[in-house]
Amino acid sequence: MSSIYSATVTAPVNIATLKYWGKRDTVLNLPTNSSISVTLSQDDLCTTTTASAGPDFTKDHLWLNGVDQEIEGSKRLEACFRELRKLRRALEDEKRAQGDETVVPLSAFKLHIVSENNFPTAAGLASSAAGFAAFVSAIAKLFELPQSATDLSILARQGSGSACRSLFGGFVAWNMGSEADGSDSSAECIAPREHWPEIRAAILVASADKKDTSSTNGMQITVKESSLFKERVDNVVPKRFEEMKKAILAKDFESFAELTMRDSNQFHAVCLDSYPPIFYMNDTSHAAVRVVEEINKQAGHLIAAYTFDAGPNCVIYYLEENEQQVLGPLKSVLGKLTGWNKKEKISPFVPTGFETRFLEKLSQGIERVILTSIGEGPQDSSAQLIDNNGEPLR
């Protein structure tokens, strides 16, 4: 077999504090509102992707967690392949025009892509965001593209809307843009991880099952059916977008927490206002909300903020200085689950007067705990997921 060219990248999960929900263009994944997210540490949640190209490959292949994925007919994947090859072809043409006849025609080669998540896929943990961010970043690295992270975010967005935010670390804004071709609908970093490194996140995994209603279908139903939706995108989100950026830059956790919880509540209210209603949260999710409220009540101010994406899993943001107050009650009922190895110093503790019935409900529905922190954007990796024949190593 001829030479195989490859590159590997890891990409993070991001969890929105100001939700993206609804599309003004379903083909280009153009949103009806801007959004803001926190990028989480890849030490705990990431997608690793190896992209390879070779003259002997006969067709494009994508393997996700060991399963061969269908590419033909997938408009999102085909769009990413097409646009990335177009950029590589332009680069090759430029180099040849400068007299470089040794440039490898990677744009003409078929691609083999192997991608692996270290967390459940399609369960409301932003797997598609990390997946498409890693997919685009790995091919861009393989193709030696000069485009910026913002430029690549436009491509990643076409695969999965929220993937554009996983092209950056820290606190990230996805500006909805106004151009019909999506050229100004891209992500940018509001503040890097180093700006507010004390932010922590506890993810309570209520279910690792695949969602009943996909995010794509849910958005289409909501845009069409919810009478609350227009008020959200026209008035509520634009105001919150500016308030959330201000809170992040000022490191004002209480404002950040309130905005995060209010937006999560409204996002799910809009889903419930659809017809038929869309249920992403379940009884365990509702118990998690009450537990966070009780934690804040005991503290006398906001030290924890819940948020739920399109799934039942609860993400709780808090500051490192309040870790014992936030995690103590959770560990009292969830301490036997995996995920506490990094927090052995946290004591299981329920304050006097704490409403324990919600903790008991939580203990019946949570199956995994992930404790993590704020993280960086895509990173180059020395890992190799493809063998010398262009096949998955495992």
Side-chain angles (χ1 to χ4, degrees):
M1 176 172 277
S2 303
S3 297
I4 292 176
Y5 305 86
S6 66
T8 302
V9 168
T10 64
V13 162
N14 75 81
I15 301 294
T17 57
L18 184 65
K19 307 297 185 185
Y20 141 60
W21 197 251
K23 301 176 184 180
R24 68 179 192 273
D25 186 310
T26 57
V27 175
L28 295 175
N29 271 348
L30 299 181
T32 54
N33 65 269
S34 298
S35 58
I36 293 175
S37 65
V38 177
T39 298
L40 300 181
S41 172
Q42 295 186 55
D43 291 342
D44 307 293
L45 294 163
C46 80
T47 297
T48 301
T49 298
T50 295
S52 64
D56 295 333
F57 293 172
T58 58
K59 62 180 293 188
D60 291 327
H61 266 291
L62 170 64
W63 292 270
L64 174 59
N65 294 325
V67 179
D68 197 352
Q69 305 293 306
E70 186 63 45
I71 295 175
E72 188 173 350
S74 173
K75 293 181 179 179
R76 294 184 178 190
L77 286 171
E78 289 178 339
C80 290
F81 276 117
R82 181 179 62 252
E83 295 303 317
L84 287 162
R85 282 191 167 110
K86 184 186 297 184
L87 292 174
R88 172 64 190 186
R89 194 175 303 115
L91 179 63
E92 292 168 359
D93 291 344
E94 180 183 347
K95 289 187 175 183
R96 292 191 188 98
Q98 295 172 349
D100 184 358
E101 296 299 328
T102 65
V103 61
V104 180
L106 294 179
S107 64
F109 295 168
K110 297 299 183 181
L111 292 166
H112 285 192
I113 316 290
V114 175
S115 189
E116 295 181 356
N117 296 333
N118 68 349
F119 57 94
T121 302
L125 286 175
S127 60
S128 62
F132 271 100
F135 175 89
V136 168
S137 297
I139 297 176
K141 181 186 176 185
L142 171 66
F143 284 175
E144 299 179 330
L145 298 181
Q147 276 69 26
S148 68
T150 293
D151 293 332
L152 294 178
S153 77
I154 294 173
L155 297 182
R157 185 207 71 225
Q158 295 180 53
S160 169
S162 54
C164 70
R165 298 191 306 247
S166 282
L167 267 291
F168 295 89
F171 302 87
V172 186
W174 174 11
N175 298 299
M176 62 180 289
S178 58
E179 298 296 332
D181 64 359
S183 58
D184 60 346
S185 182
S186 61
E188 64 174 346
C189 180
I190 297 173
R193 184 192 68 83
E194 295 78 13
H195 169 71
W196 206 1
E198 298 85 2
I199 290 285
R200 297 289 182 268
I203 303 174
L204 309 183
V205 182
S207 173
D209 297 332
K210 192 171 182 178
K211 295 179 288 191
D212 291 335
T213 305
S214 71
S215 297
T216 298
N217 290 337
M219 288 182 197
Q220 292 173 343
I221 293 170
T222 301
V223 170
K224 181 181 178 181
E225 298 290 344
S226 172
S227 59
L228 299 178
F229 181 74
K230 182 174 174 56
E231 171 68 13
R232 171 172 171 77
V233 299
D234 287 351
N235 300 312
V236 176
V237 172
K239 181 180 178 182
R240 282 186 184 154
F241 185 75
E242 298 304 323
E243 291 174 341
M244 183 75 76
K245 287 199 295 184
K246 182 178 178 181
I248 289 168
L249 292 173
K251 296 194 282 189
D252 178 355
F253 185 82
E254 291 204 49
S255 295
F256 171 83
E258 181 175 344
L259 289 165
T260 296
M261 292 187 284
R262 283 184 177 275
D263 200 71
S264 179
N265 294 344
Q266 194 193 53
F267 156 53
H268 287 278
V270 169
C271 291
L272 287 171
D273 186 52
S274 302
Y275 188 81
I278 302 168
F279 301 95
Y280 287 123
M281 296 173 67
N282 57 23
D283 288 346
T284 302
S285 310
H286 300 148
V289 169
R290 296 305 186 193
V291 168
V292 171
E293 290 177 339
E294 193 68 18
I295 289 171
N296 288 329
K297 179 182 176 182
Q298 290 290 323
H301 61 108
L302 299 183
I303 64 170
Y306 60 77
T307 188
F308 296 82
D309 277 351
N313 308 308
C314 181
V315 178
I316 303 173
Y317 289 117
Y318 61 93
L319 294 176
E320 183 181 23
E321 65 190 55
N322 297 317
E323 199 157 59
Q324 175 59 52
Q325 289 174 274
V326 175
L327 296 185
L330 298 175
K331 194 173 185 180
S332 71
V333 293
L334 304 176
K336 292 183 179 180
L337 299 179
T338 59
W340 292 98
N341 55 308
K342 292 183 178 181
K343 303 295 180 182
E344 294 179 355
K345 293 182 179 179
I346 298 298
S347 302
F349 178 73
V350 181
T352 302
F354 198 103
E355 181 58 76
T356 59
R357 62 191 176 100
F358 300 121
L359 283 172
E360 293 167 1
K361 182 69 177 178
L362 202 62
S363 69
Q364 298 168 12
I366 298 300
E367 54 189 45
R368 183 183 178 192
V369 176
I370 302 171
L371 302 175
T372 188
S373 57
I374 192 167
E376 303 286 1
Q379 303 290 308
D380 292 348
S381 173
S382 60
Q384 182 64 258
L385 304 182
I386 292 178
D387 65 20
N388 293 331
N389 295 315
E391 300 294 319
L393 280 172
R394 55 182 181 273

